[in-house]
Amino acid sequence: MARELGWYASFSVAFGFVSIATGIFTTYGAVLATSGPRGIWAWPISVIGQLSIALVFGALAARIPISGYSYQWVSRIVGPIWGWIMGWISFAFLGVVVVAVDYTIASTILPELFQYVGTTQNAWVITAGVVLLQSLLVAASTRTTHRVNNAAVTAQLIGMITLTALLFAVGFFTGKLDFTHLFETGTVPESGYYGLGGGTQAGPFALAFLLGAFTIVGFESAANLAEETKDPARVIPKAMIQAVLSLGALGFLFLVAITAAAARVDGVAESATPVATVITAVLGSVVGKILLVLVVVSIFSCGLVITLSGTRLVYAMSRDKRFPGWRLLGRIHPHTATPLNATLFVMVIAQLILAVFSGSTDALFQLFSAATLLPAIIYAGTVAMYAAKRRSLPPSRGFSLGRWEVPVLVLAAVWLVYELLIFRDASFQGPWIYVLVLCGIGGLYLAVLIARRGRASLTMPDMADVDRALDNAATAPSGGSAEGTSR
């Protein structure tokens, strides 16, 4: 397969998956409730922590530029059993994060856009419809999916920059900005604000880190295009790092503008859609609604990319005969040249997760919490693997941490330990149950897989790119399945 993609393609995938519009619209209300306006200052620290992880992933991508990133890296460096575990956890993450992203549209934006009262019932129905539409697009055409994403990323860049600039400009000239509000705790007590909390309770400021930890994830998706990117060992690390930095800077400016304006807008703390409420109050109904439409497009695109990533992961593991129902899920539809069965499976899983969480009055908090916990586990496992095996890794082909390797690894480890400790808070019981149930199901299947085939049969997967397999299947005269080989 020809290497046709350049820096912007890699950057747009990383930027589109992260989607600050999605993350901030999803989590801002929770931050106000648990940490107050001052909680936005956890964002820059979170960006630094996630940047350290992006640097480690960049070093891995430069050494092993293979589509599949963590699943492939861990399989080759540590072993196929650990690679399978990483792949299964990634599947659990992609399943819940697409629901969290799409639920954001239904619960935080559309009620403000169309002026109706959001309920758990209508949020469920709308989210289910969005998930279905994204799945249909992914199933119908991979090329169309990428075109929609590229257009949406451009819309997100234009929309978020314009939205931030207008909030500052209009807010300044109308006197609706109060920068002292950035340092207030709101309804959260000042006493013990920066404390670490107790055994089952995280401190108020610690909980604010979830804003950045949930938002700045998915940058590693650029590594999944490694085998179709020009000079991937140089381009992909650069794209991931620049995506984190640009999203971090733009996201913080947006948070400052929203929070400063929120002080002069009545009812923000009680609003179920605080970001949308502030935008409409400051910019007016017409301009506010236009920009909210752009935000909806951005969030829809984010969910689309996640659906595509989940489908590709299920197909890749099925192609390697390592996923439940691999004979069915590893097939390519002869007309669409897409893994149709895998796409339908991912859609069904998303709908089941939605059904489980949507009955809760704090469904959005539970969803984004689970979608923050799982990538933290994935990142921790990958960073630990890199630290343990760094001296035996292949030589870098374009990007290296050099003398900064150890400091970056220490920073990433400290950040990940701190982030995971936040989830000792009792409010995260639901996300932990989700993680444990999915891991339990995966553990049972892995045990059966080993018992039936033996550890020796789970050899290292060959370097196989999903896109190449799809293209080969599309040009094949007949068939409908593509099974990977092992070595």
Side-chain angles (χ1 to χ4, degrees):
M1 183 175 182
R3 296 187 181 274
E4 300 175 343
L5 304 180
W7 169 83
Y8 186 73
S10 293
F11 175 82
S12 66
V13 169
F15 194 99
F17 195 120
V18 174
S19 181
I20 53 174
T22 305
I24 293 176
F25 273 78
T26 302
T27 57
Y28 186 75
V31 170
L32 287 182
T34 60
S35 311
R38 191 188 296 177
I40 68 168
W41 294 101
W43 175 276
I45 303 173
S46 299
V47 171
I48 294 173
Q50 298 298 80
L51 177 62
S52 67
I53 299 170
L55 289 167
V56 174
F57 275 59
L60 276 168
R63 286 172 166 81
I64 310 174
I66 303 172
S67 297
Y69 46 101
S70 288
Y71 165 61
Q72 293 272 25
W73 294 336
V74 177
S75 293
R76 296 169 187 284
I77 296 172
V78 181
I81 299 296
W82 289 104
W84 188 94
I85 293 172
M86 187 64 68
W88 183 262
I89 296 174
S90 298
F91 162 70
F93 161 61
L94 292 169
V96 73
V97 73
V98 70
V99 179
V101 165
D102 292 341
Y103 201 85
T104 301
I105 295 176
S107 63
T108 70
I109 302 179
L110 294 186
E112 181 70 25
L113 194 59
F114 295 106
Q115 294 297 302
Y116 67 87
V117 177
T119 65
T120 56
Q121 288 77 21
N122 58 40
W124 183 354
V125 172
I126 293 170
T127 304
V130 174
V131 169
L132 175 61
L133 179 57
Q134 290 164 339
S135 299
L136 290 175
L137 281 171
V138 171
S141 172
T142 300
R143 179 172 296 180
T144 300
T145 301
H146 283 300
R147 286 177 176 173
V148 171
N149 179 58
N150 288 340
V153 166
T154 303
Q156 181 177 179
L157 278 168
I158 296 172
M160 289 303 295
I161 291 173
T162 303
L163 182 55
T164 303
L166 285 175
L167 284 170
F168 276 117
V170 176
F172 176 79
F173 286 110
T174 58
K176 292 183 178 179
L177 295 181
D178 182 0
F179 291 102
T180 62
H181 191 55
L182 305 177
F183 304 95
E184 298 174 356
T185 61
T187 58
V188 180
E190 180 76 36
S191 177
Y193 184 82
Y194 294 105
L196 296 178
T200 58
Q201 183 181 11
F205 189 64
L207 291 171
F209 283 95
L210 296 179
L211 176 62
F214 170 75
T215 305
I216 311 295
V217 295
F219 48 82
E220 70 277 8
S221 58
N224 204 32
L225 300 174
E227 295 174 41
E228 51 180 318
T229 301
K230 300 174 184 177
D231 195 9
R234 296 180 185 275
V235 169
I236 291 173
K238 178 181 177 181
M240 289 193 294
I241 293 166
Q242 290 181 339
V244 172
L245 289 173
S246 59
L247 286 160
L250 179 57
F252 187 62
L253 289 173
F254 180 67
L255 283 170
V256 169
I258 283 290
T259 306
R264 305 292 174 85
V265 176
D266 295 332
V268 173
E270 296 77 24
S271 174
T273 59
V275 176
T277 298
V278 172
I279 291 172
T280 303
V282 174
L283 301 181
S285 177
V286 176
V287 176
K289 288 183 185 299
I290 291 173
L291 292 172
L292 287 176
V293 169
L294 289 178
V295 172
V296 170
V297 172
S298 300
I299 297 177
F300 179 85
S301 171
C302 176
L304 191 66
V305 172
I306 296 169
T307 301
L308 179 64
S309 298
T311 297
R312 293 299 178 84
L313 177 63
V314 169
Y315 170 76
M317 294 183 70
S318 298
R319 180 193 58 199
D320 294 334
K321 303 180 182 180
R322 297 180 183 183
F323 200 85
W326 59 267
R327 288 183 177 85
L328 186 63
L329 300 179
R331 295 178 180 177
I332 301 299
H333 194 275
H335 299 299
T336 64
T338 62
L340 179 61
N341 293 340
T343 305
L344 295 176
F345 175 78
V346 169
M347 183 197 69
V348 170
I349 294 299
Q351 298 287 5
L352 290 174
I353 294 171
L354 172 63
V356 169
F357 282 98
S358 62
S360 172
T361 54
D362 61 344
L364 189 59
F365 175 79
Q366 298 294 331
L367 285 166
F368 89 72
S369 297
T372 308
L373 172 59
L374 282 162
I377 295 172
I378 295 169
Y379 292 161
T382 306
V383 169
M385 174 212 62
Y386 182 95
K389 299 289 186 177
R390 62 191 179 92
R391 298 189 184 279
S392 60
L393 293 175
S396 174
R397 305 180 186 182
F399 175 82
S400 174
L401 296 176
R403 62 181 181 179
W404 293 100
E405 184 177 58
V406 173
V408 167
L409 282 171
V410 171
L411 177 60
V414 170
W415 161 246
L416 286 167
V417 169
Y418 181 79
E419 181 184 349
L420 287 170
L421 283 175
I422 297 173
F423 286 92
R424 74 186 186 280
D425 194 278
S427 62
F428 300 117
Q429 180 181 1
W432 273 114
I433 291 174
Y434 169 77
V435 172
L436 293 175
V437 169
L438 265 292
C439 287
I441 294 172
L444 288 174
Y445 178 76
L446 180 60
V448 171
L449 191 64
I450 294 174
R452 293 181 60 183
R453 296 168 56 184
R455 292 176 60 92
S457 67
L458 297 178
T459 53
M460 299 277 275
D462 282 338
M463 185 170 70
D465 178 65
V466 176
D467 291 310
R468 182 186 294 112
L470 295 176
D471 285 347
N472 290 340
T475 57
S478 63
S481 65
E483 297 178 359
T485 58
S486 299
R487 62 186 173 102

